[in-house]
Amino acid sequence: MEAGKMQSINKKKPSITWFVLTQTKGFRLKLFYGFVILLSLLGFKASAEDIYIAKNGSDNNLGTKEKPLATLHFAIRKARELRCLNKSSIKGGIRIIIGKGIYQLHEPVVLRPEDSGKKDSPTEIIATEKVVLSGGVKINGWRKLAGTVPGLPKIAKGKVWVADVPNFDGNGLLFRQLWVNGSKAVRAKNYDGDAMGRILSWDTKNQTCKIPLQKDINLDNVKGMEMLIHQWWAVANLRVKSVKIIGNAAELSFMQPESRIQSEHPWPAPWISKKTGNSAFYLTNAIQFLNKPGEWFEDFKNQKLYYWPKASDNMLNAEVIAPVLENLLTIEGTIDNPVAYVNFKGISFEHSTWLRPSKQGHVPHQAGMYMLDAYKLEKAGTPDKPTLENQAWVGRPASAVEVTYANNTSFNSCHFEHLASTGLDYKIGTSDNEIRGNLFKDIGGSAILIGTFSNEATEVHLPYNPSDNREISTNDNIENNLITDVTNEDWGAVGIGAGYVRGIKILHNEISDVSYSGISMGWGWTKTQNAMKNNTISSNKIHHYGKHMYDVAGIYTLSAQPESFITENVIDSIYKAPFAHLPEHWFYLYTDEGSSYFTVKNNWTPAEKYLQNANGPDNLWESNGPKVPEDIKRKAGLEKPFQYLLREKAQYSNNSINLAEDKSAVFELIFKEDNLPSYNALKTFAKENNLASSSIYTWNNRLVIYTSSLKVESLQQTLKRLNATEIKLYVYLFYDFKREKNCGEKPVAEWDNIVLSVNLVKDEKMQKEYLDYHKTQFEKWPEISKGFCNAEFQRLAIFKNERQLMLIISIPKGKKLDDLNPKTTLNNPKVNEWNAIMKKYQEGIQGTKPDEVWVFFKPIE
């Protein structure tokens, strides 16, 4: 498929851009929801059946406009009965029209195969104005705390308010989130704001962790306390079992099963490094930590909630909501009888919970998938992957809206906000569904998950390719959604996460303010062909990502995906994550293990900082980076009819933004005699690895790649495929003549590079003399620069690795060094003097003839 054609995939232009005419936020919301219902009503035939719901309705009513129902549960039941009786009134479909208001759910709304519509008779669930389906409960009866509570810090006394926690289901209400006046409050923790501590050590044998003690915080008799630990590309939530004070440290032990899994799994493990710092952590869920405005603590045993209000909070009329339900809506089809033709328009889904971390801990593997079991193999290797050393079985986090075995369903112009875990999850057996024009904001986990990752019985590295293709999520469309301030609790979750998907189209979304990667597509870490193919990620705008976790990219892929495209995306502004395990290990594009058969083309990024790690065959990289046409850059992200969503974009973090520093580097590969890769093999390698074939040079049994330092990490992985006996990297640039700096002239637009190599003599004293000459050449030997200027040299750079040098001479494209080089000495005898001095420090590299010193590497083109 051509890149230009991909922009028009599945576009449906609305008839009017009404939102640009609005003046106030309140009016815009009313107009938005009113117009959703107006368009819906105009779009249906007169034979459609209408069922109405209103806040003042009753489930004993008929569901007419004059006598509306009270709940969506009963409206769906009524619609189901109409389908069952095959009433003539539903020939044009069924519309469930919900009036303005917040509808508290006491159980999830469930849609089953019997609730399916048909292509010419769909079921539409539509909001007239602002409609919220809430899985939360309001907490009222706030009063200022009188007296004291054991453990409450002195600083909090007289400032904390308390309320009784409602008994929602007879077992007490446990929750991990709290929203006050629409903003998420902070579960009391031992470090303020974004600050974290650093662990002192991790004992895998005894499954314990040592942390430094803090002043004024007493960890004695703390029950229910949790630890969040930052490790590589994921965080873990560990329930603390006991605390042992040892000098200035506290030794923590943890509850099972997370204690064993956390200590046994090798990836991602706690990070221990003197250079970049050990894994960061914070403690939470203890009244001892309630020491700042905006923090809360739930005393679950006594069913009390404590909150220190912010200056803007008036607790006598504050709206305080705790989440209760994990699922707000489930669409539950079967493989033989899927749910079909059900559409949601303009609905807000809010206030979901997720309690597994409080009950079993949460130790994620990647993209928020938590480990049920994981360990390191005694002997590395599996039939599909000889180097594999770890095994893991994972579960999938709960989602506010969950869809299984469904086709031709849609969510249009909906809001997913204030949610504990995943927002919307199309889990398995989905096809031809549409997620379009929605807002995903303030979500603890991923905004959208789609497709199988691994079922709980299957090890995560095994390729998934079911015998029944109906299991595979196929031809689903995710388009023009705004995703902002998501992954704000599980930092290792993603904006959009696609597992084993086929024919998916992820188009024109804008993703910002995420803790890890923007879009992650693929699973399995394998080159083996599997269920995935024909996938497209195009024209998305991803920025302000990587807020907390590295080993990260704007777009990240795994495993073989034939006929798949990553094109015309814009990726920019990755945060400087304050606790990253490797501060430079971040990327704009990242094709990880097994990624194969991708076309990666015309993606705009500020620099070519990409990683290709253990990729498979037949990837094509072409025309990516800052030179991508402005027109492509301008068209990425939300299309004009959906840009009204941008007013909902979250404020960005105060974290500074990474700027990629692009320097030059040289790789040299040494092969056995007559074992140099063929010309065709090198051309293919260049296409697959984001290289211009003109950057590859050869001499005898040696191959040189002159490249950007931004590609070094990627090439260190992929060059192993060429089976060289030795790979040398030259990054020590000790001499750098530049035309603009040394001649006062702008360089030409295009140039050719000449690559030469030589050894310094073995005498270390003489090597130092040689380097000292070059350190002072510009000042003490200005004639040399004058000669280079006369010869039209654009740049002359010398790299060193041990005693071998790589010299790169850049000259105007189309000219010859033999014609230009004599100009360096023309009327300039000092250059001859310099050359004569330099000769005594130089000798030929291995393989040169007795009278040969400098050798020329020839370009493969």
Side-chain angles (χ1 to χ4, degrees):
M1 185 180 293
E2 296 177 10
K5 292 179 181 178
M6 278 184 268
Q7 291 190 354
S8 63
I9 295 173
N10 284 348
K11 291 182 180 177
K12 299 178 183 176
K13 299 292 185 183
S15 58
I16 185 168
T17 55
W18 49 269
F19 40 81
V20 298
L21 303 175
T22 58
Q23 299 296 319
T24 66
K25 184 173 181 181
F27 183 65
R28 284 197 303 265
L29 283 173
K30 291 179 181 178
L31 186 55
F32 164 60
Y33 287 104
F35 208 83
V36 167
I37 181 62
L38 177 60
L39 285 178
S40 301
L41 293 175
L42 290 176
F44 280 93
K45 301 174 184 177
S47 58
E49 177 84 17
D50 292 344
I51 302 171
Y52 288 87
I53 304 170
K55 286 294 292 180
N56 62 352
S58 168
D59 285 336
N60 294 318
N61 287 342
L62 294 175
T64 62
K65 189 173 184 179
E66 295 75 20
K67 296 286 186 178
L69 297 170
T71 67
L72 183 54
H73 295 277
F74 271 81
I76 289 171
R77 182 183 296 182
K78 182 175 178 63
R80 185 182 304 141
E81 290 171 356
L82 291 170
R83 294 280 182 200
C84 182
L85 296 172
N86 198 22
K87 290 281 189 178
S88 60
S89 61
I90 66 168
K91 184 177 180 181
I94 298 175
R95 294 171 300 201
I96 299 175
I97 302 166
I98 310 178
K100 179 182 178 181
I102 298 173
Y103 294 81
Q104 183 181 353
L105 302 176
H106 294 270
E107 59 181 316
V109 174
V110 181
L111 289 165
R112 301 180 176 89
E114 295 81 3
D115 301 312
S116 294
K118 299 177 182 178
K119 185 175 183 180
D120 58 353
S121 176
T123 295
E124 297 278 346
I125 300 170
I126 309 165
T128 55
E129 294 185 66
K130 176 77 172 181
V131 170
V132 176
L133 300 183
S134 174
V137 60
K138 289 186 179 180
I139 298 181
N140 300 311
W142 288 95
R143 56 200 180 274
K144 205 163 190 180
L145 179 64
T148 185
V149 176
L152 184 69
K154 291 181 180 179
I155 192 173
K157 292 180 179 178
K159 300 171 183 175
V160 170
W161 288 61
V162 62
D164 296 321
V165 176
N167 194 346
F168 190 80
D169 61 0
N171 296 312
L173 178 59
L174 178 64
F175 49 90
R176 301 176 61 84
Q177 296 79 27
L178 188 73
W179 288 277
V180 179
N181 296 325
S183 296
K184 184 184 288 187
V186 177
R187 199 177 187 211
K189 56 194 184 79
N190 66 323
Y191 290 101
D192 297 332
D194 294 329
M196 299 177 76
R198 299 276 192 177
I199 68 170
L200 300 174
S201 63
W202 191 280
D203 186 335
T204 56
K205 181 179 179 181
N206 293 307
Q207 302 177 12
T208 58
C209 176
K210 286 185 180 178
I211 61 171
L213 286 178
Q214 290 176 268
K215 290 182 179 180
D216 304 322
I217 292 184
N218 184 355
L219 297 181
D220 291 337
N221 300 316
V222 174
K223 293 183 179 180
M225 184 172 69
E226 296 180 13
M227 177 186 190
L228 179 141
I229 182 169
H230 179 294
Q231 40 199 23
W232 303 45
W233 57 83
V235 294
N237 302 94
L238 310 172
R239 297 169 300 157
V240 177
K241 181 180 180 180
S242 65
V243 180
K244 182 179 179 182
I245 306 302
I246 305 173
N248 292 323
E251 183 180 72
L252 309 180
S253 65
F254 307 98
M255 301 287 190
Q256 299 293 358
E258 66 265 37
S259 179
R260 177 187 61 79
I261 295 170
Q262 166 69 6
S263 286
E264 287 189 351
H265 79 279
W267 304 102
W271 181 253
I272 304 294
S273 171
K274 290 182 179 179
K275 183 178 179 180
T276 62
N278 296 347
S279 276
F281 79 97
Y282 65 76
L283 303 175
T284 187
N285 200 40
I287 199 167
Q288 286 91 327
F289 307 149
L290 185 55
N291 60 2
K292 283 286 184 297
E295 290 188 335
W296 62 274
F297 169 74
E298 181 193 11
D299 180 350
F300 179 69
K301 180 180 178 181
N302 296 302
Q303 290 292 283
K304 300 289 183 184
L305 176 61
Y306 301 95
Y307 177 65
W308 183 339
K310 294 185 291 187
S312 58
D313 295 329
N314 180 348
M315 297 310 295
L316 296 178
N317 59 17
E319 181 186 68
V320 181
I321 298 178
V324 175
L325 299 180
E326 288 195 334
N327 303 124
L328 309 183
L329 166 69
T330 63
I331 300 177
E332 302 175 356
T334 68
I335 194 166
D336 293 316
N337 197 6
V339 177
Y341 295 102
V342 177
N343 305 313
F344 287 82
K345 292 186 178 181
I347 309 294
S348 290
F349 299 91
E350 299 186 12
H351 309 126
S352 67
T353 191
W354 189 45
L355 295 178
R356 180 184 170 86
S358 291
K359 296 179 178 180
Q360 293 176 278
H362 179 53
V363 186
H365 187 267
Q366 190 165 309
M369 305 296 153
Y370 55 84
M371 286 182 274
L372 299 161
D373 196 6
Y375 59 89
K376 186 174 182 178
L377 292 168
E378 292 185 11
K379 184 178 180 180
T382 65
D384 187 64
K385 193 169 182 183
T387 60
L388 183 67
E389 66 173 356
N390 62 309
Q391 299 279 275
W393 291 260
V394 301
R396 192 170 183 134
S399 59
V401 177
E402 202 167 276
V403 184
T404 58
Y405 292 109
N407 64 66
N408 295 287
T409 67
S410 69
F411 289 86
N412 283 278
S413 303
C414 294
H415 286 197
F416 298 80
E417 294 186 83
H418 313 316
L419 306 173
S421 186
T422 309
L424 174 60
D425 191 350
Y426 274 76
K427 295 177 68 173
I428 188 172
T430 65
S431 63
D432 301 296
N433 301 287
E434 181 178 76
I435 303 167
R436 188 168 183 257
N438 304 288
L439 171 68
F440 295 84
K441 184 178 181 181
D442 183 19
I443 296 175
S446 299
I448 301 170
L449 292 178
I450 188 164
T452 298
F453 285 77
S454 298
N455 63 52
E456 295 188 359
T458 304
E459 204 279 322
V460 296
H461 300 93
L462 294 177
Y464 173 76
N465 202 4
S467 57
D468 192 333
N469 286 341
R470 292 178 298 171
E471 290 185 18
I472 303 169
S473 289
T474 304
N475 297 335
D476 293 314
N477 188 50
I478 303 172
E479 181 182 355
N480 277 299
N481 301 284
L482 176 63
I483 296 171
T484 186
D485 184 24
V486 301
T487 72
N488 58 28
E489 292 193 34
D490 187 347
W491 295 345
V494 296
I496 299 174
Y500 287 97
V501 291
R502 178 175 294 177
I504 196 171
K505 294 175 180 64
I506 303 175
L507 311 172
H508 284 289
N509 302 282
E510 178 160 337
I511 303 173
S512 68
D513 213 54
V514 291
S515 297
Y516 184 44
S517 293
I519 298 174
S520 175
M521 185 169 73
W523 198 249
W525 296 264
T526 178
K527 301 172 188 177
T528 301
Q529 293 202 23
N530 53 75
M532 294 182 286
K533 65 179 180 181
N534 193 28
N535 297 318
T536 300
I537 302 173
S538 187
S539 300
N540 300 282
K541 185 176 182 181
I542 303 166
H543 57 100
H544 293 87
Y545 66 100
K547 188 192 297 187
H548 295 110
M549 314 306 295
Y550 274 7
D551 198 28
V552 64
I555 298 175
Y556 170 93
T557 67
L558 279 170
S559 299
Q561 302 188 40
E563 301 176 56
S564 293
F565 295 84
I566 301 172
T567 62
E568 303 189 2
N569 301 283
V570 167
I571 304 170
D572 195 7
S573 300
I574 178 172
Y575 285 118
K576 285 187 178 179
F579 301 103
H581 65 298
L582 295 173
E584 299 302 319
H585 197 63
W586 58 268
F587 309 95
Y588 297 116
L589 297 168
Y590 185 171
T591 49
D592 202 2
E593 294 194 45
S595 293
S596 313
Y597 313 106
F598 278 97
T599 295
V600 185
K601 185 176 181 179
N602 289 335
N603 297 285
W604 187 92
T605 59
E608 295 180 52
K609 195 169 193 304
Y610 314 137
L611 181 60
Q612 293 153 281
N613 177 43
N615 285 187
D618 294 330
N619 291 318
L620 170 63
W621 289 72
E622 186 177 345
S623 303
N624 302 288
K627 295 181 180 179
V628 167
E630 188 67 26
D631 184 57
I632 290 176
K633 184 178 179 183
R634 187 176 64 253
K635 290 180 179 178
L638 299 177
E639 294 176 291
K640 192 171 183 179
F642 300 92
Q643 289 175 3
Y644 71 92
L645 286 168
L646 294 175
R647 67 173 180 257
E648 302 286 353
K649 194 156 49 177
Q651 292 185 344
Y652 304 133
S653 164
N654 292 326
N655 292 17
S656 55
I657 301 300
N658 273 302
L659 298 175
E661 187 176 5
D662 193 357
K663 299 179 180 179
S664 300
V666 178
F667 276 101
E668 181 185 29
L669 285 73
I670 303 172
F671 296 84
K672 293 180 180 178
E673 295 293 340
D674 302 321
N675 197 34
L676 204 68
S678 68
Y679 170 80
N680 287 335
L682 292 175
K683 289 275 288 183
T684 299
F685 181 84
K687 284 184 178 181
E688 292 180 353
N689 289 276
N690 199 36
L691 292 171
S693 54
S694 59
S695 65
I696 303 177
Y697 305 78
T698 62
W699 177 81
N700 284 4
N701 64 326
R702 296 174 185 242
L703 182 148
V704 160
I705 299 175
Y706 182 44
T707 187
S708 161
S709 61
L710 301 179
K711 299 178 182 179
V712 164
E713 186 170 357
S714 184
L715 285 170
Q716 283 174 328
Q717 302 287 342
T718 57
L719 284 171
K720 297 172 185 177
R721 288 172 46 193
L722 297 179
N723 297 317
T725 57
E726 184 180 1
I727 300 176
K728 298 172 69 174
L729 173 62
Y730 297 76
V731 290
Y732 174 30
L733 177 65
F734 68 89
Y735 179 82
D736 195 9
F737 164 87
K738 293 182 178 179
R739 188 165 194 83
E740 188 166 16
K741 178 181 178 181
N742 299 104
C743 306
E745 298 177 8
K746 288 188 176 181
V748 296
E750 294 184 88
W751 61 51
D752 291 322
N753 296 311
I754 314 299
V755 178
L756 303 90
S757 188
V758 75
N759 271 342
L760 294 179
V761 295
K762 293 182 179 179
D763 187 298
E764 292 184 2
K765 182 180 178 182
M766 294 183 70
Q767 292 177 26
K768 184 178 183 304
E769 289 175 7
Y770 180 86
L771 296 177
D772 289 341
Y773 267 111
H774 284 80
K775 285 178 183 177
T776 59
Q777 186 209 79
F778 295 128
E779 295 79 23
K780 295 183 177 180
W781 294 78
E783 299 84 358
I784 309 304
S785 292
K786 182 180 178 182
F788 295 161
C789 294
N790 292 339
E792 300 181 64
F793 289 178
Q794 306 300 300
R795 188 185 185 195
L796 193 149
I798 310 177
F799 298 84
K800 181 176 180 291
N801 183 325
E802 296 179 342
R803 65 189 187 98
Q804 187 175 347
L805 308 181
M806 285 288 172
L807 168 62
I808 314 295
I809 303 175
S810 303
I811 61 175
K813 194 170 187 65
K815 296 198 175 184
K816 296 181 179 179
L817 183 62
D818 287 345
D819 297 333
L820 299 179
N821 200 43
K823 296 181 182 181
T824 62
T825 58
L826 185 64
N827 300 320
N828 196 354
K830 272 287 192 178
V831 175
N832 285 324
E833 182 182 345
W834 171 270
N835 289 339
I837 294 172
M838 293 302 105
K839 282 183 179 179
K840 69 178 182 179
Y841 297 105
Q842 301 163 350
E843 63 184 32
I845 64 176
Q846 186 178 359
T848 54
K849 298 174 183 178
D851 59 343
E852 195 173 20
V853 182
W854 285 97
V855 297
F856 284 76
F857 283 74
K858 296 181 179 180
I860 65 169
E861 289 190 331

